[in-house]
């Protein structure tokens, strides 16, 4: 069977399962929230409506080319090493004839791990130390890691070969001059000046533990990581903490000291994948196997340096390594800069457009209800305000179990953020209608719904449109955060640019986003001139 | 249409707006509700439109109590011009007048014909029909409000201080026009005013009110010739109610 044919037979049942799961989860969430809050009967309808909107949004966004529709989805975290490894897995899977999508630089461990658990991602690179110390720290104690993972429906490959843990480093020249190779060698040199990043200075398993473990006589100082490299290079300090695969180790010609008494936890790189992957895509698993034990620390440092310091795209770094050492990889097709800007513009517009339309559809009726029933109004406006205070990354992470990764959680988050300005302005616009106009409308013999349609909403229109404008501009800006959960858009180059310290790349995202915000503002201004009659505009 | 209030009381918060009032507005007559500001005149109009609910007493239309439901149908049989005109700023003069025609899905030619009739009746310039309320003069705005109230050819017309916001010259002109309109309208009209001259000029019957009660009612000549008490004398003498002292105790 060819890869494409297999993809076609495999994708259909998966998608159905995903949608069913989604419905179940949404229902469960709303049920538990209802029980927790013991909401009065009246808000039942609002909940139902919200539920429908979320499901509809997720459906729409999923059709919009989200996590389904590909046979295998590779994930990676938002730092260069993870992206390179993700590119390797993707290239090998592609070489095995499987349709692959690489959701690169997702916004952190929590995001990717949840995405893997929910099936939005099939495989991603992880570190054993992160699993035992961070993600699974409550269950990992005293049990084999593989067993704990099996409980989550996950498996782990053999180590890839390198260990990206904390370590101490010195310049090669100074270390050679003093004959220092191991951390225990430092004991004989109390005159050395040690500088550590703040997290290492303060954590129990950082400097205080290290000092006690080795009996080091030194006093250490806290220093920013980037400054510490420069301090070592200029001779202002002698020893610093590093990650053992930092590209800067090559750039600054540092010697990593051996942790001869095994103080630091090992952070062996592995590939984490779903337990159903071998059955679904055995070719991918075979490809993964070929990476095991192939990348040692010097190799990874060199690869990181190629991407980070030499500015070679991660896909090329990965392809170069695979061609030389592994073979059987197929590189992703390269995209022209303009084509990628156009694609991101399309993704960004879809995020903003979809969420804004949904926000209008819910917020205007909510504003009407709020204006009609002052007590409900206070609750609704308060709740919308509360949503606004949730940090965007936290909201996205909360939405992942519900909606997976990609555009659905991003659209849902933008939708929730878009509610407040529209609800508040609709409410204010309706409440502010002069009493004599409200009475006149009633005295004419117009029933409530007709009053709303013919008199009240048109009178509130300038306020409503102003609220929509505010929401739209907020959405264009906030949508850049969607890149953290793999939603694409202009946030993607911004994230990459920040990661690689590449100002040009940041501008490739920031400038079009600003242009889009201004364009949308102008577009809505034109809409405003159409829907707000001359009689309501301020006199010229 | 005959409108009747029997023993009607309406309170707003602690104050009494209308205090056990008995009033009958006979079909085809023009009545002026006269009195100092805050005496409950405007409340009477709102009670008749079921825009306010009385705490006591009964309001009836043609002998039948105000319906609890389908109040909209009743309101469409009554035209109402609120104190400042109440024109909708998002609609042009023509759209204000024909709003109910739009709601009731009248044929556009029928609505246009009715608009023409009303503009002629109220002497409203045809070229100003396309203007928005903020582009109209005070007198023009009042004429639009009256046209809007008359669109459905109601059996009753209620006007709340239709002239108070106008400057004196325009006021006199519109007052004369109003009299002509009421004559040709030939139905029940109730005008709320605090101006004795207006009441005398416009109404067949004057109802003089004070602190939520009726002090005296009848043709203006009767009130002038045989005032019921000193308040009536004083109120009629000042020409308007603003300088008449409230009763003490």
């Amino acid at each position: 069977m060819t890869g494409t044919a297999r993809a076609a037979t495999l994708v259909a049942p998966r998608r159905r399962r995903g949608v069913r799961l989604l419905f179940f989860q949404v229902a469960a969430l709303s049920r538990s929230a209802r029980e927790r809050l013991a909401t009065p009967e009246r808000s039942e309808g609002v909940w139902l409506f919200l539920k429908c909107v979320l499901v509809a949004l997720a459906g729409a966004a999923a059709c919009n080319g989200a996590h389904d529709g590909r046979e295998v989805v590779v994930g990676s975290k938002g730092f260069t090493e993870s992206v390179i490894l993700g590119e390797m897995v993707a290239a090998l899977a592609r070489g095995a004839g499987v349709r692959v999508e690489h959701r690169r630089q997702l916004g952190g461990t929590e995001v990717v791990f949840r995405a893997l658990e929910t099936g939005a991602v099939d495989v991603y690179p992880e570190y054993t130390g992160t699993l035992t110390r961070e993600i699974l720290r409550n269950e990992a104690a005293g049990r084999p890691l593989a067993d704990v993972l099996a409980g989550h429906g996950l498996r782990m490959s053999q180590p890839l070969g390198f260990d990206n843990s904390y370590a101490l480093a010195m310049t090669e020249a100074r270390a050679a001059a003093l004959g220092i190779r191991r951390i225990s060698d430092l004991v004989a040199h109390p005159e050395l000046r040690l500088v550590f990043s703040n997290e290492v200075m303060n954590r129990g398993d950082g400097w205080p533990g290290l000092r006690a473990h080795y009996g080091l006589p030194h006093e250490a100082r806290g220093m920013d990581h980037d400054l510490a490299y420069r301090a070592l290079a200029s001779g202002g300090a002698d020893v610093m903490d590093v990650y053992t695969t930092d590209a800067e180790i090559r750039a600054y010609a540092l010697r990593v000291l051996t942790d001869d008494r095994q103080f630091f936890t090992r952070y062996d790189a592995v590939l984490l994948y779903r337990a159903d992957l071998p059955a679904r895509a055995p070719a991918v698993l075979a490809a993964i196997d070929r990476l095991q034990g192939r990348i040692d620390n010097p190799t990874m440092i060199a690869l990181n340096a190629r991407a980070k310091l030499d500015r070679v795209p991660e896909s090329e770094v990965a392809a170069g390594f695979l061609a030389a050492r592994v073979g059987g990889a197929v590189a992703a097709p390269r995209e022209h800069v303009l084509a990628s800007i156009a694609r991101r513009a399309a993704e960004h517009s879809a995020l903003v457009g979809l969420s804004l339309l949904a926000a209008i559809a819910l917020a205007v009726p909510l504003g009407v209800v709020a204006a009609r029933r002052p007590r409900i109004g206070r609750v609704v406006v308060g709740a919308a305000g509360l949503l606004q205070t949730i940090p965007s990354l936290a909201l996205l992470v909360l939405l992942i179990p519900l909606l997976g990764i990609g555009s659905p959680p991003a659209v849902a988050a933008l939708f929730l953020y878009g509610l407040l300005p529209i609800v508040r302005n609709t409410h204010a616009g309706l409440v502010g209608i002069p009493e004599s106009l409200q009475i006149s409308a009633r005295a004419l013999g117009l029933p409530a719904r007709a009053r709303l349609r013919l008199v009240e909403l048109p009178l509130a229109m300038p306020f409503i449109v102003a609220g929509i404008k505010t929401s739209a501009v907020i959405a264009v800006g906030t949508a850049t955060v969607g890149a953290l959960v793999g939603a694409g858009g202009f946030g993607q180059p911004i994230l990459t640019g920040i990661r690689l310290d590449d100002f040009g790349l940041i501008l490739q995202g920031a400038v079009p986003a600003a242009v889009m915000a201004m364009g949308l503002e102008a577009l809505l201004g034109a809409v405003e001139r159409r829907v707000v009659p001359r009689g309501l505009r301020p006199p010229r | 249409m005959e409108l009747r209030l029997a023993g009607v009381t309406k309170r707003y918060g602690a104050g009494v707006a209308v205090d056990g009032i008995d009033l009958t507005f006979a079909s085809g007559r023009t009545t002026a509700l006269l009195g100092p500001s805050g005496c409950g005149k405007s409340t009477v109009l709102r009670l008749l439109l079921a825009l306010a609910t009385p705490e006591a007493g009964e309001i009836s239309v043609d002998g039948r109590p105000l319906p609890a439901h389908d109040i909209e149908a009743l309101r469409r049989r009554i035209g109402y011009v609120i104190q400042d005109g109440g024109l909708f700023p998002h609609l042009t003069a023509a759209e204000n007048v024909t709003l109910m025609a739009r709601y009731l899905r009248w044929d556009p030619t029928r609505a246009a014909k009715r608009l023409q009739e009303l503009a002629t009746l109220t002497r409203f310039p045809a070229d100003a029909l396309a203007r928005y309320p903020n582009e109209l003069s005070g007198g023009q705005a009042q004429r639009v409000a009256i046209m809007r109230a008359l669109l459905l050819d109601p059996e009753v017309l209620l006007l709340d201080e239709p002239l108070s916001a106008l400057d004196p010259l325009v006021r006199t002109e519109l007052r004369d026009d109003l009299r002509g309109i009421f004559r040709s309208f030939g139905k029940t009209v109730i005008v709320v005013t605090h101006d004795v001259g207006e009441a005398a000029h416009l109404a067949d019957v004057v109802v003089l009110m004070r602190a939520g009660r009726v002090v005296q009612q009848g043709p203006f000549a009767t009130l002038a010739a045989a005032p019921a008490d000193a308040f009536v004398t004083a109120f009629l003498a000042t020409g308007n109610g603003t300088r008449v002292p409230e009763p003490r105790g």
Side-chain angles (χ1 to χ4, degrees):
Chain A
M1 208 188 321
T2 67
T4 324
R6 201 185 301 118
T9 56
L10 283 168
V11 160
R14 257 196 100 199
R15 175 176 290 170
R16 269 202 300 278
R17 187 195 62 184
V19 171
R20 215 168 40 229
L21 193 70
L22 191 75
F23 262 101
F24 172 72
Q25 285 170 331
V26 170
L29 177 90
S30 67
R31 204 182 320 116
S32 67
R34 233 168 25 226
E35 283 157 8
R36 256 203 318 279
L37 296 170
T39 36
E41 255 185 20
R42 222 184 268 138
S43 57
E44 199 98 340
V46 176
W47 257 113
L48 191 71
F49 189 42
L50 199 66
K51 202 156 82 183
C52 293
V53 169
L54 274 178
V55 170
L57 272 180
C63 297
N64 198 36
H67 62 288
D68 272 326
R70 303 278 178 160
E71 189 170 351
V72 167
V73 182
V74 179
S76 58
K77 297 195 218 177
F79 56 91
T80 301
E81 184 170 293
S82 191
V83 175
I84 294 174
L85 293 175
E87 287 292 345
M88 285 186 191
V89 175
L92 285 172
R94 212 176 285 119
V98 176
R99 288 183 59 194
V100 187
E101 182 168 14
H102 181 195
R103 296 238 164 235
R104 37 183 24 228
Q105 58 184 23
L106 297 169
T109 300
E110 183 76 350
V111 171
V112 204
F113 189 78
R114 285 215 188 199
L116 186 72
E117 273 189 309
T118 54
V121 159
D122 294 304
V123 51
Y124 83 93
E126 188 51 279
Y127 303 92
T128 53
T130 308
L131 288 168
T132 54
R133 288 288 177 112
E134 218 175 298
I135 309 174
L136 305 169
R137 66 175 178 279
N138 294 326
E139 23 185 333
R143 293 174 60 197
L145 193 52
D147 291 358
V148 180
L149 286 172
H152 290 259
L154 306 177
R155 290 189 196 170
M156 172 175 103
S157 73
Q158 293 298 310
L160 301 182
F162 69 90
D163 163 31
N164 184 0
S165 66
Y166 287 110
L168 301 190
M170 300 177 69
T171 59
E172 183 62 45
R174 189 120 172 86
L178 297 174
I180 296 174
R181 303 205 151 271
R182 307 168 304 173
I183 295 179
S184 53
D185 293 340
L186 294 174
V187 178
H189 298 276
E191 76 285 1
L192 293 177
R193 293 153 300 170
L194 277 54
V195 290
F196 295 127
S197 55
N198 283 323
E199 100 186 350
V200 172
M201 279 299 283
N202 300 326
R203 280 169 52 156
D205 59 352
W207 167 239
L210 179 75
R211 186 184 192 182
H213 193 78
Y214 279 97
L216 296 175
H218 309 82
E219 291 297 330
R221 281 191 298 131
M223 188 179 278
D224 175 82
H225 210 61
D226 286 328
L227 291 181
Y229 284 119
R230 280 171 219 167
L232 249 64
S234 66
D238 303 303
V239 182
M240 69 179 288
D241 62 300
V242 291
Y243 293 114
T244 47
T245 55
D246 275 356
E248 286 81 357
I249 291 173
R250 189 198 72 170
Y252 288 95
L254 301 185
R255 175 184 288 185
V256 176
L257 307 185
T258 310
D259 182 14
D260 52 325
R261 289 193 204 158
Q262 287 88 36
F263 173 75
F264 291 112
T265 309
R266 286 190 70 81
Y267 281 73
D268 288 313
V270 294
L271 292 171
L272 213 54
Y273 57 90
R274 294 179 57 76
D276 61 0
L277 188 65
R280 267 194 311 117
V284 173
L285 208 72
I288 286 174
D289 285 340
R290 295 167 59 201
L291 277 180
Q292 292 171 5
R294 298 300 281 273
I295 312 169
D296 58 13
N297 273 45
T299 307
M300 196 64 237
I301 292 170
L303 294 173
N304 282 337
R306 285 264 291 156
K308 215 168 168 183
L309 305 177
D310 306 341
R311 299 277 166 89
V312 178
E314 294 90 352
S315 55
E316 286 180 24
V317 174
F321 167 80
L322 293 174
R325 309 268 191 95
V326 181
V330 171
R334 282 200 72 173
E335 200 178 26
H336 191 266
V337 178
L338 287 180
S340 82
I341 290 181
R343 178 173 54 81
R344 287 166 192 148
E347 291 164 350
H348 211 87
S349 316
L351 292 178
V352 171
L354 217 55
S355 59
L356 193 61
L357 286 179
I360 295 170
L362 180 65
V364 172
L366 274 181
V368 171
V369 172
R372 289 270 157 92
R373 306 273 179 86
R375 210 175 290 171
I376 296 183
R378 276 193 293 274
V379 175
V380 165
V381 174
L386 207 63
L387 280 174
Q388 211 77 19
T389 66
I390 305 176
S392 45
L393 185 57
L395 186 57
L396 288 170
V397 169
L398 284 176
L399 288 167
I400 286 174
L402 205 63
L403 301 171
I405 57 165
S407 46
V411 168
L414 292 177
F415 155 74
L416 292 174
Y417 284 136
L419 291 176
L420 180 68
I422 306 176
V423 169
R424 195 139 66 179
N425 277 31
T426 305
H427 175 263
L430 290 173
V431 168
I433 296 174
E435 198 200 7
S436 73
L437 299 186
Q438 297 184 26
I439 290 181
S440 290
R442 286 169 68 197
L444 281 174
L446 286 172
R449 294 184 67 159
R451 288 203 299 273
L452 190 66
R453 178 169 57 88
L454 296 170
V455 176
E456 292 163 358
L457 281 181
L459 285 175
M461 198 51 82
F463 285 81
I464 297 174
V465 173
I468 292 172
K469 270 181 166 176
T470 309
S471 279
V473 173
I474 291 177
V476 172
T478 314
T480 54
V481 181
L484 290 173
V485 290
F490 292 129
Q492 200 74 38
I494 295 178
L495 273 191
T496 311
I498 292 172
R499 176 163 61 76
L500 297 176
D501 200 12
D502 183 339
F503 196 61
L505 214 48
I506 294 177
L507 288 183
Q508 266 186 42
V511 172
V515 170
M516 181 178 277
M518 288 190 293
L520 198 56
E521 177 101 38
L523 182 76
L524 287 170
V527 170
E528 187 174 21
R529 281 190 288 283
R530 283 197 68 116
V531 299
V532 175
R534 197 169 79 225
L536 289 183
R537 277 178 242 146
R540 266 163 292 171
Chain B
M1 190 192 271
E2 188 192 72
L3 301 165
R4 205 183 153 93
L5 288 84
V8 170
T9 295
K10 174 68 194 170
R11 291 189 180 85
Y12 285 112
V16 180
V18 167
D19 190 3
I21 213 169
D22 294 298
L23 268 178
T24 303
F25 300 98
S27 198
R29 253 197 333 215
T30 298
T31 307
L33 286 176
L34 180 66
S37 54
C39 72
K41 314 175 296 254
S42 300
T43 305
V44 171
L45 298 192
R46 294 197 181 179
L47 287 165
L48 292 171
L49 283 161
L51 291 167
T53 329
E55 271 82 39
E58 192 178 81
I59 301 163
S60 55
V61 176
D62 288 336
R64 262 181 258 152
L66 269 194
H69 54 86
D70 205 13
I71 199 71
E72 272 89 26
L74 174 72
R75 285 176 183 158
R76 283 172 216 160
R77 292 167 63 200
I78 302 175
Y80 176 52
V81 178
I82 201 166
Q83 189 155 1
D84 66 357
L87 293 185
F88 301 127
H90 66 294
L91 301 176
T92 62
E95 287 165 347
N96 261 285
V97 174
T98 56
L99 179 63
M100 283 309 286
R102 189 144 67 96
Y103 171 69
L104 297 169
R105 299 182 192 286
W106 280 16
D107 174 56
T109 50
R110 180 186 172 197
K113 187 163 161 277
R114 181 68 181 145
L115 181 64
Q116 274 315 312
E117 286 170 16
L118 291 168
T120 310
L121 175 70
T122 57
R123 304 207 304 132
F124 185 83
D127 61 347
L129 281 169
R131 291 191 198 149
Y132 284 91
N134 62 4
E135 299 159 347
L136 297 172
S137 71
Q140 286 174 332
Q142 282 298 344
R143 286 169 207 267
V144 174
I146 291 162
M147 285 196 274
R148 187 174 72 182
L150 293 176
L151 178 84
L152 299 180
D153 197 15
E155 296 158 61
V156 181
L157 181 60
L158 311 179
L159 299 101
D160 196 344
E161 303 275 11
L163 303 171
S164 64
L166 306 177
D167 58 64
L169 260 174
V170 181
R171 181 187 297 206
T172 312
E173 187 192 328
L174 185 60
R175 190 185 66 184
D176 293 341
D177 284 351
L178 274 180
R179 193 156 73 161
I181 292 166
F182 297 166
R183 291 266 157 78
S184 63
F185 181 58
K187 291 172 188 166
T188 314
V189 176
I190 306 173
V191 187
V192 161
T193 178
H194 63 268
D195 188 292
V196 177
E198 270 171 42
H201 198 80
L202 293 172
D204 306 317
V205 175
V206 174
V207 175
L208 182 58
M209 290 181 66
R210 181 188 207 190
R213 292 167 190 264
V214 175
V215 182
Q216 189 175 7
Q217 56 180 310
F220 182 76
T222 311
L223 266 71
D229 61 17
F231 171 75
V232 180
T233 313
F235 194 89
L236 297 191
T238 58
N240 66 54
T242 50
R243 272 160 290 160
V244 177
E246 287 291 308
R248 255 167 244 171

